[in-house]
Each structure stands twice: as C-alpha cells, then as structure tokens.
Amino acid sequence: MFGRLTRGGKRPEADPYVLPAPRRFGVYQLEALGDTRVRTLLRAAAAGDWGAVKEALTPFDLGRDHQLLDELAEVAGVQDWIGRAVEEGGEHRATALLISGARHVVWGWEARTRYTAQHVSPAQWRLFHERLRIAEEHLLEAAELRPEWITPWRPLLKSGRGMSLGDDINRARRDAALRRDPLDLETHYEWVTFRQPRWSGEPGQALAFARKAFHNAPEGHRLGCVLALAHIEDWVELGVSGSLRDWHIQTELRDAAKHSILHPAYERRRGWQEDFNVFAMALSLSGESIVAPRVYYELRRAYTRWPWRYVNHPEKLYASLRSRT
C-alpha cells in the first residue's frame, strides 16, 4: 500500500549521529532532534557548562536553526547561568544573548501558564512581563550584533505577542525574518498563531495567510507544514466545539502532505520528525485515512513536543490517533 503513495522525501545517507529509538514498547517522545550531538549540547546546557556548550555548538548554525534554539530554550535552569556568559562578552556574546533571550521567552510563558488570560493572577502577569522584557533586550541586541541571523526574530514574535506590542511591531519583526528567508517555516508558524482571534486576528485570517504561503511554497519544501498547523490552530481556537472533520479539509491536508513532506524533493534534515508530526496531528484530527497511515508509518513510534504540546496528554493522544490510523 505505502509503496503506491508518494515517497516520503530524500533519505540521507546513513547518519552516524542518529539516536537509536528506545527499546521499550510503545510510542516515545523524540529526544534532542534525534541527534547524539544535540543531546551532548543539551546536557552541557543543563549542567551550566558554557565552555562545553560553545564546543558542542561547533557543528551547528544557531543563527539559522530554529529547532536547535527551541531545544536549548526548553532546558530548565539555563536562565540561572546564561547571564554570566552574556557578561563574559567576546566573540560568543551574540550566541549567549540569543540563548538567553529564547530561554527567557519560554521561562516567561512558564510563569504565565497555559491558562486563558482571565485565569492568570496579577503576580503571574508581573513575572511574565519581567521575563519577557529581559528576553526582548537580549534578543534585540543579538539581532543587532548578528544582522544575518534569522533565529532571534521568532522568539521576538512570541514576546511581542505576549507583551501585546501590537500589529505594527510584530509585522515589522515578521518582515525582518522573512527578508532573511521568505520561506522560513517557523516565522510563518508564529504569524499563524498571532493571527488567531485569541491573540489579535479575525476568524479565517490565519488560515488565509497559511494558504497563500503554501501556494508559494516549492514542491518538497517544509513550508507546506504551515497549512497543517493553521488547521490545528483553528481546532485549538474552537475548543471543545472544534472539529476538522470535513472532506474539504481532508483533501486540502492530503494534497499539502503530498506537496511537501511526502514529495520526493523533501529533505529529511535533522528533526524532520517534527514536520511529519504536524501533519500527523492535523490529518488525524480531520479523520483523513489515505495519507495519514503513511505519515505514521514513516515516524515509526516517535512523536515530538511540537505540536502535541497543545494537548494535556500528548503521548496518550498520539498513541490513540496512531492506533486508529
């Protein structure tokens, strides 16, 4: 059956840095983008060893790798030592600022929690904004020091959304990122979220933006994932009354998957499983049953933190949807 479907992109040569899947039975969350070098980096960050972090970053381009920066930003405790790395200055100051800013955005959201605004206490709001102000300062300086970098702009879009800086500032930040890469997927993700009614958009606005971006995406490009995320965001927006079970949505998602992650030109770069998970979630929520099995088959048993963080029990939901497919 799967052989008759569009093949899931170019497979790289055997990678000596691939992390093996856990031996335990059942699904599992992908660790460190599935890369042993990334795992080494994250362990150094968790230990607060700036020298080891700098050494572990050598094979990577943190100024262009959103997924790697996201991994670092999720490491608990980074905020406790990264300030000393910033003060150290030198040639790695911009890198330290970038990591610090991204971590403070995540740390800020941890203070705010995932509850709706009316359920966030005044103390939580104060801590949220305090951490985001530090993030803004550090990310803007990193962007100034390394103007060719794209990665500062995604967390700046997140902090701008959280601090309610408004359309003009956030649009300028979006445009700054897209000048550096007009097809940057993560920047498009942030704008899709920003354009949801729960933030500052109107119903249908985010999906229209995603459809236009997808229309301009080359075959085999991961930007196609933006359409899947837009449908997931609509599902989140509608809450308990939300449903993607419509044949028009199923067809649109099926075509988008074939155009992007299942196209022969798609390149399975480090962390490719995240792209497949975005489609897995959207296709499953829509009830699509033709290409969804192929997507889950390629993932084997691996799910990623994004986009399943939208739900309270991601592993349980992923396993349930996977088994139904």
Side-chain angles (χ1 to χ4, degrees), residues 20-62:
R23 292 183 179 274
R24 68 177 177 86
F25 178 77
V27 303
Y28 66 94
Q29 182 175 319
L30 187 73
E31 177 191 356
L33 302 178
D35 191 297
T36 57
R37 297 167 300 173
V38 177
R39 183 175 61 181
T40 298
L41 170 64
L42 299 181
R43 288 177 175 175
D49 189 337
W50 178 228
V53 168
K54 289 185 287 187
E55 182 178 353
L57 279 171
T58 303
F60 306 115
D61 182 358
L62 195 62

mmCIF file of all heavy atoms in Angstrom, residues 20-62:
data_model
loop_
_atom_site.group_PDB
_atom_site.id
_atom_site.type_symbol
_atom_site.label_atom_id
_atom_site.label_comp_id
_atom_site.label_asym_id
_atom_site.label_seq_id
_atom_site.Cartn_x
_atom_site.Cartn_y
_atom_site.Cartn_z
ATOM 1 N N PRO A 20 19.390 6.117 18.511
ATOM 2 C CA PRO A 20 18.519 4.950 18.319
ATOM 3 C C PRO A 20 17.209 5.123 19.073
ATOM 4 O O PRO A 20 17.155 5.794 20.110
ATOM 5 C CB PRO A 20 19.348 3.798 18.892
ATOM 6 C CG PRO A 20 20.275 4.441 19.867
ATOM 7 C CD PRO A 20 20.589 5.800 19.317
ATOM 8 N N ALA A 21 16.171 4.521 18.551
ATOM 9 C CA ALA A 21 14.880 4.568 19.235
ATOM 10 C C ALA A 21 14.956 3.765 20.523
ATOM 11 O O ALA A 21 15.683 2.772 20.610
ATOM 12 C CB ALA A 21 13.794 3.995 18.327
ATOM 13 N N PRO A 22 14.232 4.181 21.544
ATOM 14 C CA PRO A 22 14.208 3.414 22.790
ATOM 15 C C PRO A 22 13.723 1.989 22.543
ATOM 16 O O PRO A 22 12.892 1.745 21.664
ATOM 17 C CB PRO A 22 13.210 4.186 23.666
ATOM 18 C CG PRO A 22 13.154 5.555 23.090
ATOM 19 C CD PRO A 22 13.384 5.396 21.623
ATOM 20 N N ARG A 23 14.219 1.083 23.336
ATOM 21 C CA ARG A 23 13.849 -0.325 23.162
ATOM 22 C C ARG A 23 12.473 -0.639 23.747
ATOM 23 O O ARG A 23 11.878 -1.666 23.439
ATOM 24 C CB ARG A 23 14.891 -1.238 23.820
ATOM 25 C CG ARG A 23 16.249 -1.200 23.114
ATOM 26 C CD ARG A 23 17.223 -2.176 23.767
ATOM 27 N NE ARG A 23 18.512 -2.172 23.089
ATOM 28 C CZ ARG A 23 18.804 -2.904 22.027
ATOM 29 N NH1 ARG A 23 17.875 -3.711 21.521
ATOM 30 N NH2 ARG A 23 19.993 -2.851 21.469
ATOM 31 N N ARG A 24 11.991 0.262 24.605
ATOM 32 C CA ARG A 24 10.710 -0.012 25.257
ATOM 33 C C ARG A 24 9.580 -0.056 24.239
ATOM 34 O O ARG A 24 9.639 0.549 23.171
ATOM 35 C CB ARG A 24 10.418 1.044 26.324
ATOM 36 C CG ARG A 24 10.136 2.443 25.787
ATOM 37 C CD ARG A 24 9.796 3.398 26.931
ATOM 38 N NE ARG A 24 9.584 4.751 26.489
ATOM 39 C CZ ARG A 24 8.428 5.220 26.048
ATOM 40 N NH1 ARG A 24 7.395 4.410 25.959
ATOM 41 N NH2 ARG A 24 8.308 6.493 25.674
ATOM 42 N N PHE A 25 8.527 -0.764 24.607
ATOM 43 C CA PHE A 25 7.373 -0.903 23.729
ATOM 44 C C PHE A 25 6.563 0.388 23.707
ATOM 45 O O PHE A 25 6.485 1.098 24.701
ATOM 46 C CB PHE A 25 6.492 -2.065 24.211
ATOM 47 C CG PHE A 25 5.250 -2.256 23.392
ATOM 48 C CD1 PHE A 25 5.304 -2.862 22.148
ATOM 49 C CD2 PHE A 25 4.025 -1.804 23.864
ATOM 50 C CE1 PHE A 25 4.153 -3.035 21.390
ATOM 51 C CE2 PHE A 25 2.872 -1.964 23.114
ATOM 52 C CZ PHE A 25 2.938 -2.590 21.872
ATOM 53 N N GLY A 26 5.945 0.703 22.608
ATOM 54 C CA GLY A 26 5.036 1.842 22.512
ATOM 55 C C GLY A 26 5.692 3.080 21.949
ATOM 56 O O GLY A 26 6.865 3.082 21.572
ATOM 57 N N VAL A 27 4.915 4.152 21.889
ATOM 58 C CA VAL A 27 5.389 5.403 21.321
ATOM 59 C C VAL A 27 6.335 6.083 22.291
ATOM 60 O O VAL A 27 6.358 5.788 23.487
ATOM 61 C CB VAL A 27 4.216 6.334 20.966
ATOM 62 C CG1 VAL A 27 3.248 5.645 20.000
ATOM 63 C CG2 VAL A 27 3.476 6.805 22.208
ATOM 64 N N TYR A 28 7.111 7.025 21.779
ATOM 65 C CA TYR A 28 8.065 7.752 22.626
ATOM 66 C C TYR A 28 8.277 9.151 22.061
ATOM 67 O O TYR A 28 8.106 9.386 20.867
ATOM 68 C CB TYR A 28 9.411 7.017 22.689
ATOM 69 C CG TYR A 28 10.154 6.973 21.373
ATOM 70 C CD1 TYR A 28 11.130 7.931 21.053
ATOM 71 C CD2 TYR A 28 9.872 5.992 20.412
ATOM 72 C CE1 TYR A 28 11.802 7.904 19.847
ATOM 73 C CE2 TYR A 28 10.540 5.965 19.204
ATOM 74 C CZ TYR A 28 11.502 6.914 18.921
ATOM 75 O OH TYR A 28 12.158 6.895 17.711
ATOM 76 N N GLN A 29 8.657 10.083 22.945
ATOM 77 C CA GLN A 29 8.956 11.438 22.501
ATOM 78 C C GLN A 29 10.380 11.495 21.972
ATOM 79 O O GLN A 29 11.313 11.028 22.626
ATOM 80 C CB GLN A 29 8.801 12.435 23.647
ATOM 81 C CG GLN A 29 9.054 13.881 23.216
ATOM 82 C CD GLN A 29 8.792 14.875 24.320
ATOM 83 O OE1 GLN A 29 7.822 14.736 25.054
ATOM 84 N NE2 GLN A 29 9.643 15.878 24.438
ATOM 85 N N LEU A 30 10.539 12.061 20.787
ATOM 86 C CA LEU A 30 11.860 12.191 20.190
ATOM 87 C C LEU A 30 12.745 13.067 21.069
ATOM 88 O O LEU A 30 12.347 14.152 21.478
ATOM 89 C CB LEU A 30 11.749 12.804 18.797
ATOM 90 C CG LEU A 30 13.049 12.858 17.983
ATOM 91 C CD1 LEU A 30 13.426 11.472 17.497
ATOM 92 C CD2 LEU A 30 12.897 13.815 16.798
ATOM 93 N N GLU A 31 13.931 12.595 21.354
ATOM 94 C CA GLU A 31 14.871 13.329 22.198
ATOM 95 C C GLU A 31 15.905 14.047 21.341
ATOM 96 O O GLU A 31 16.437 13.479 20.381
ATOM 97 C CB GLU A 31 15.582 12.351 23.143
ATOM 98 C CG GLU A 31 16.640 12.989 24.027
ATOM 99 C CD GLU A 31 17.498 11.975 24.760
ATOM 100 O OE1 GLU A 31 17.232 10.766 24.645
ATOM 101 O OE2 GLU A 31 18.454 12.408 25.441
ATOM 102 N N ALA A 32 16.196 15.289 21.665
ATOM 103 C CA ALA A 32 17.326 16.031 21.097
ATOM 104 C C ALA A 32 17.354 16.002 19.567
ATOM 105 O O ALA A 32 18.417 15.884 18.954
ATOM 106 C CB ALA A 32 18.640 15.481 21.647
ATOM 107 N N LEU A 33 16.171 16.135 18.959
ATOM 108 C CA LEU A 33 16.051 16.121 17.494
ATOM 109 C C LEU A 33 16.585 14.829 16.890
ATOM 110 O O LEU A 33 16.899 14.771 15.699
ATOM 111 C CB LEU A 33 16.770 17.327 16.864
ATOM 112 C CG LEU A 33 16.305 18.709 17.333
ATOM 113 C CD1 LEU A 33 17.133 19.804 16.673
ATOM 114 C CD2 LEU A 33 14.818 18.921 17.040
ATOM 115 N N GLY A 34 16.698 13.792 17.718
ATOM 116 C CA GLY A 34 17.176 12.501 17.231
ATOM 117 C C GLY A 34 18.650 12.483 16.889
ATOM 118 O O GLY A 34 19.093 11.658 16.094
ATOM 119 N N ASP A 35 19.448 13.370 17.504
ATOM 120 C CA ASP A 35 20.855 13.544 17.144
ATOM 121 C C ASP A 35 21.730 13.477 18.398
ATOM 122 O O ASP A 35 21.489 14.190 19.372
ATOM 123 C CB ASP A 35 21.022 14.901 16.457
ATOM 124 C CG ASP A 35 22.377 15.086 15.804
ATOM 125 O OD1 ASP A 35 23.387 15.087 16.529
ATOM 126 O OD2 ASP A 35 22.421 15.242 14.570
ATOM 127 N N THR A 36 22.751 12.643 18.365
ATOM 128 C CA THR A 36 23.624 12.485 19.538
ATOM 129 C C THR A 36 24.379 13.766 19.857
ATOM 130 O O THR A 36 24.650 14.060 21.022
ATOM 131 C CB THR A 36 24.632 11.347 19.313
ATOM 132 O OG1 THR A 36 25.402 11.626 18.125
ATOM 133 C CG2 THR A 36 23.927 10.004 19.131
ATOM 134 N N ARG A 37 24.722 14.557 18.842
ATOM 135 C CA ARG A 37 25.441 15.813 19.084
ATOM 136 C C ARG A 37 24.549 16.831 19.777
ATOM 137 O O ARG A 37 25.014 17.589 20.640
ATOM 138 C CB ARG A 37 25.965 16.378 17.765
ATOM 139 C CG ARG A 37 26.986 15.499 17.054
ATOM 140 C CD ARG A 37 27.200 15.963 15.627
ATOM 141 N NE ARG A 37 25.956 15.900 14.865
ATOM 142 C CZ ARG A 37 25.816 16.366 13.622
ATOM 143 N NH1 ARG A 37 26.840 16.938 13.015
ATOM 144 N NH2 ARG A 37 24.657 16.252 13.002
ATOM 145 N N VAL A 38 23.275 16.840 19.410
ATOM 146 C CA VAL A 38 22.338 17.742 20.074
ATOM 147 C C VAL A 38 22.142 17.305 21.527
ATOM 148 O O VAL A 38 22.064 18.142 22.427
ATOM 149 C CB VAL A 38 20.986 17.777 19.326
ATOM 150 C CG1 VAL A 38 19.975 18.655 20.067
ATOM 151 C CG2 VAL A 38 21.177 18.298 17.899
ATOM 152 N N ARG A 39 22.101 16.010 21.762
ATOM 153 C CA ARG A 39 21.973 15.526 23.136
ATOM 154 C C ARG A 39 23.161 15.970 23.976
ATOM 155 O O ARG A 39 22.996 16.397 25.128
ATOM 156 C CB ARG A 39 21.861 13.999 23.154
ATOM 157 C CG ARG A 39 21.663 13.418 24.552
ATOM 158 C CD ARG A 39 21.442 11.922 24.516
ATOM 159 N NE ARG A 39 22.581 11.225 23.939
ATOM 160 C CZ ARG A 39 22.631 9.894 23.766
ATOM 161 N NH1 ARG A 39 21.600 9.137 24.127
ATOM 162 N NH2 ARG A 39 23.695 9.336 23.233
ATOM 163 N N THR A 40 24.354 15.916 23.415
ATOM 164 C CA THR A 40 25.548 16.393 24.123
ATOM 165 C C THR A 40 25.431 17.870 24.451
ATOM 166 O O THR A 40 25.756 18.318 25.556
ATOM 167 C CB THR A 40 26.804 16.140 23.264
ATOM 168 O OG1 THR A 40 26.949 14.727 23.064
ATOM 169 C CG2 THR A 40 28.048 16.691 23.932
ATOM 170 N N LEU A 41 24.947 18.657 23.493
ATOM 171 C CA LEU A 41 24.747 20.097 23.693
ATOM 172 C C LEU A 41 23.760 20.359 24.825
ATOM 173 O O LEU A 41 24.010 21.194 25.709
ATOM 174 C CB LEU A 41 24.239 20.727 22.391
ATOM 175 C CG LEU A 41 23.749 22.175 22.467
ATOM 176 C CD1 LEU A 41 24.875 23.116 22.835
ATOM 177 C CD2 LEU A 41 23.105 22.576 21.135
ATOM 178 N N LEU A 42 22.655 19.660 24.819
ATOM 179 C CA LEU A 42 21.617 19.900 25.822
ATOM 180 C C LEU A 42 22.082 19.475 27.213
ATOM 181 O O LEU A 42 21.732 20.125 28.215
ATOM 182 C CB LEU A 42 20.333 19.158 25.441
ATOM 183 C CG LEU A 42 19.710 19.567 24.100
ATOM 184 C CD1 LEU A 42 18.428 18.784 23.848
ATOM 185 C CD2 LEU A 42 19.440 21.068 24.041
ATOM 186 N N ARG A 43 22.878 18.434 27.282
ATOM 187 C CA ARG A 43 23.415 18.010 28.578
ATOM 188 C C ARG A 43 24.402 19.044 29.115
ATOM 189 O O ARG A 43 24.431 19.316 30.323
ATOM 190 C CB ARG A 43 24.071 16.639 28.449
ATOM 191 C CG ARG A 43 23.051 15.498 28.278
ATOM 192 C CD ARG A 43 23.715 14.153 28.073
ATOM 193 N NE ARG A 43 22.726 13.077 28.033
ATOM 194 C CZ ARG A 43 23.009 11.804 27.773
ATOM 195 N NH1 ARG A 43 24.271 11.442 27.527
ATOM 196 N NH2 ARG A 43 22.055 10.884 27.766
ATOM 197 N N ALA A 44 25.176 19.631 28.223
ATOM 198 C CA ALA A 44 26.098 20.690 28.657
ATOM 199 C C ALA A 44 25.326 21.902 29.159
ATOM 200 O O ALA A 44 25.691 22.526 30.162
ATOM 201 C CB ALA A 44 27.015 21.086 27.504
ATOM 202 N N ALA A 45 24.234 22.242 28.478
ATOM 203 C CA ALA A 45 23.404 23.374 28.901
ATOM 204 C C ALA A 45 22.762 23.092 30.253
ATOM 205 O O ALA A 45 22.694 23.970 31.118
ATOM 206 C CB ALA A 45 22.334 23.663 27.850
ATOM 207 N N ALA A 46 22.280 21.871 30.446
ATOM 208 C CA ALA A 46 21.654 21.510 31.716
ATOM 209 C C ALA A 46 22.660 21.562 32.860
ATOM 210 O O ALA A 46 22.302 21.880 34.005
ATOM 211 C CB ALA A 46 21.031 20.119 31.620
ATOM 212 N N ALA A 47 23.921 21.282 32.557
ATOM 213 C CA ALA A 47 24.965 21.315 33.579
ATOM 214 C C ALA A 47 25.507 22.717 33.813
ATOM 215 O O ALA A 47 26.322 22.931 34.718
ATOM 216 C CB ALA A 47 26.101 20.381 33.173
ATOM 217 N N GLY A 48 25.102 23.677 32.994
ATOM 218 C CA GLY A 48 25.585 25.049 33.137
ATOM 219 C C GLY A 48 27.026 25.221 32.714
ATOM 220 O O GLY A 48 27.714 26.135 33.193
ATOM 221 N N ASP A 49 27.492 24.390 31.808
ATOM 222 C CA ASP A 49 28.886 24.413 31.369
ATOM 223 C C ASP A 49 28.975 25.187 30.049
ATOM 224 O O ASP A 49 28.825 24.608 28.967
ATOM 225 C CB ASP A 49 29.396 22.984 31.195
ATOM 226 C CG ASP A 49 30.886 22.904 30.942
ATOM 227 O OD1 ASP A 49 31.474 23.906 30.479
ATOM 228 O OD2 ASP A 49 31.477 21.832 31.203
ATOM 229 N N TRP A 50 29.225 26.494 30.144
ATOM 230 C CA TRP A 50 29.256 27.347 28.958
ATOM 231 C C TRP A 50 30.356 26.933 27.992
ATOM 232 O O TRP A 50 30.163 26.944 26.779
ATOM 233 C CB TRP A 50 29.412 28.793 29.385
ATOM 234 C CG TRP A 50 29.503 29.828 28.292
ATOM 235 C CD1 TRP A 50 30.427 30.831 28.204
ATOM 236 C CD2 TRP A 50 28.641 29.997 27.160
ATOM 237 N NE1 TRP A 50 30.194 31.608 27.105
ATOM 238 C CE2 TRP A 50 29.097 31.120 26.439
ATOM 239 C CE3 TRP A 50 27.529 29.311 26.698
ATOM 240 C CZ2 TRP A 50 28.486 31.569 25.274
ATOM 241 C CZ3 TRP A 50 26.911 29.753 25.522
ATOM 242 C CH2 TRP A 50 27.388 30.869 24.821
ATOM 243 N N GLY A 51 31.506 26.547 28.503
ATOM 244 C CA GLY A 51 32.587 26.100 27.631
ATOM 245 C C GLY A 51 32.179 24.885 26.817
ATOM 246 O O GLY A 51 32.442 24.819 25.611
ATOM 247 N N ALA A 52 31.513 23.925 27.469
ATOM 248 C CA ALA A 52 31.060 22.728 26.758
ATOM 249 C C ALA A 52 29.946 23.057 25.777
ATOM 250 O O ALA A 52 29.847 22.447 24.702
ATOM 251 C CB ALA A 52 30.606 21.672 27.764
ATOM 252 N N VAL A 53 29.096 24.025 26.130
ATOM 253 C CA VAL A 53 28.030 24.448 25.211
ATOM 254 C C VAL A 53 28.646 25.027 23.943
ATOM 255 O O VAL A 53 28.240 24.682 22.823
ATOM 256 C CB VAL A 53 27.096 25.470 25.885
ATOM 257 C CG1 VAL A 53 26.185 26.134 24.849
ATOM 258 C CG2 VAL A 53 26.254 24.801 26.966
ATOM 259 N N LYS A 54 29.611 25.908 24.096
ATOM 260 C CA LYS A 54 30.253 26.516 22.923
ATOM 261 C C LYS A 54 30.908 25.454 22.045
ATOM 262 O O LYS A 54 30.805 25.507 20.810
ATOM 263 C CB LYS A 54 31.288 27.550 23.379
ATOM 264 C CG LYS A 54 30.683 28.811 23.972
ATOM 265 C CD LYS A 54 31.728 29.859 24.293
ATOM 266 C CE LYS A 54 32.550 29.495 25.515
ATOM 267 N NZ LYS A 54 33.460 30.592 25.927
ATOM 268 N N GLU A 55 31.567 24.500 22.676
ATOM 269 C CA GLU A 55 32.211 23.437 21.900
ATOM 270 C C GLU A 55 31.177 22.580 21.174
ATOM 271 O O GLU A 55 31.352 22.228 20.001
ATOM 272 C CB GLU A 55 33.049 22.562 22.835
ATOM 273 C CG GLU A 55 33.806 21.455 22.115
ATOM 274 C CD GLU A 55 34.672 20.630 23.055
ATOM 275 O OE1 GLU A 55 34.783 20.994 24.246
ATOM 276 O OE2 GLU A 55 35.226 19.612 22.604
ATOM 277 N N ALA A 56 30.079 22.253 21.869
ATOM 278 C CA ALA A 56 29.047 21.408 21.264
ATOM 279 C C ALA A 56 28.298 22.115 20.138
ATOM 280 O O ALA A 56 27.701 21.454 19.281
ATOM 281 C CB ALA A 56 28.069 20.948 22.338
ATOM 282 N N LEU A 57 28.316 23.448 20.146
ATOM 283 C CA LEU A 57 27.642 24.210 19.088
ATOM 284 C C LEU A 57 28.443 24.275 17.795
ATOM 285 O O LEU A 57 27.916 24.692 16.756
ATOM 286 C CB LEU A 57 27.364 25.637 19.576
ATOM 287 C CG LEU A 57 26.129 25.843 20.454
ATOM 288 C CD1 LEU A 57 26.125 27.251 21.034
ATOM 289 C CD2 LEU A 57 24.843 25.595 19.660
ATOM 290 N N THR A 58 29.683 23.854 17.824
ATOM 291 C CA THR A 58 30.580 23.999 16.668
ATOM 292 C C THR A 58 30.002 23.449 15.366
ATOM 293 O O THR A 58 30.127 24.096 14.309
ATOM 294 C CB THR A 58 31.938 23.347 16.969
ATOM 295 O OG1 THR A 58 32.496 23.949 18.145
ATOM 296 C CG2 THR A 58 32.903 23.530 15.805
ATOM 297 N N PRO A 59 29.349 22.269 15.366
ATOM 298 C CA PRO A 59 28.850 21.742 14.080
ATOM 299 C C PRO A 59 27.594 22.431 13.573
ATOM 300 O O PRO A 59 27.148 22.143 12.460
ATOM 301 C CB PRO A 59 28.533 20.270 14.403
ATOM 302 C CG PRO A 59 29.045 20.008 15.772
ATOM 303 C CD PRO A 59 29.116 21.323 16.465
ATOM 304 N N PHE A 60 27.007 23.322 14.363
ATOM 305 C CA PHE A 60 25.695 23.862 14.041
ATOM 306 C C PHE A 60 25.739 25.362 13.731
ATOM 307 O O PHE A 60 26.705 26.042 14.063
ATOM 308 C CB PHE A 60 24.730 23.632 15.210
ATOM 309 C CG PHE A 60 24.646 22.192 15.645
ATOM 310 C CD1 PHE A 60 25.080 21.811 16.916
ATOM 311 C CD2 PHE A 60 24.155 21.222 14.801
ATOM 312 C CE1 PHE A 60 25.006 20.493 17.329
ATOM 313 C CE2 PHE A 60 24.073 19.897 15.199
ATOM 314 C CZ PHE A 60 24.506 19.531 16.467
ATOM 315 N N ASP A 61 24.668 25.845 13.116
ATOM 316 C CA ASP A 61 24.496 27.273 12.849
ATOM 317 C C ASP A 61 23.270 27.735 13.626
ATOM 318 O O ASP A 61 22.146 27.703 13.123
ATOM 319 C CB ASP A 61 24.315 27.509 11.350
ATOM 320 C CG ASP A 61 24.186 28.992 11.002
ATOM 321 O OD1 ASP A 61 24.199 29.826 11.934
ATOM 322 O OD2 ASP A 61 24.067 29.308 9.802
ATOM 323 N N LEU A 62 23.479 28.150 14.871
ATOM 324 C CA LEU A 62 22.370 28.519 15.739
ATOM 325 C C LEU A 62 21.626 29.745 15.222
ATOM 326 O O LEU A 62 20.457 29.937 15.538
ATOM 327 C CB LEU A 62 22.882 28.772 17.164
ATOM 328 C CG LEU A 62 21.834 28.817 18.273
ATOM 329 C CD1 LEU A 62 21.108 27.483 18.388
ATOM 330 C CD2 LEU A 62 22.463 29.194 19.603
#
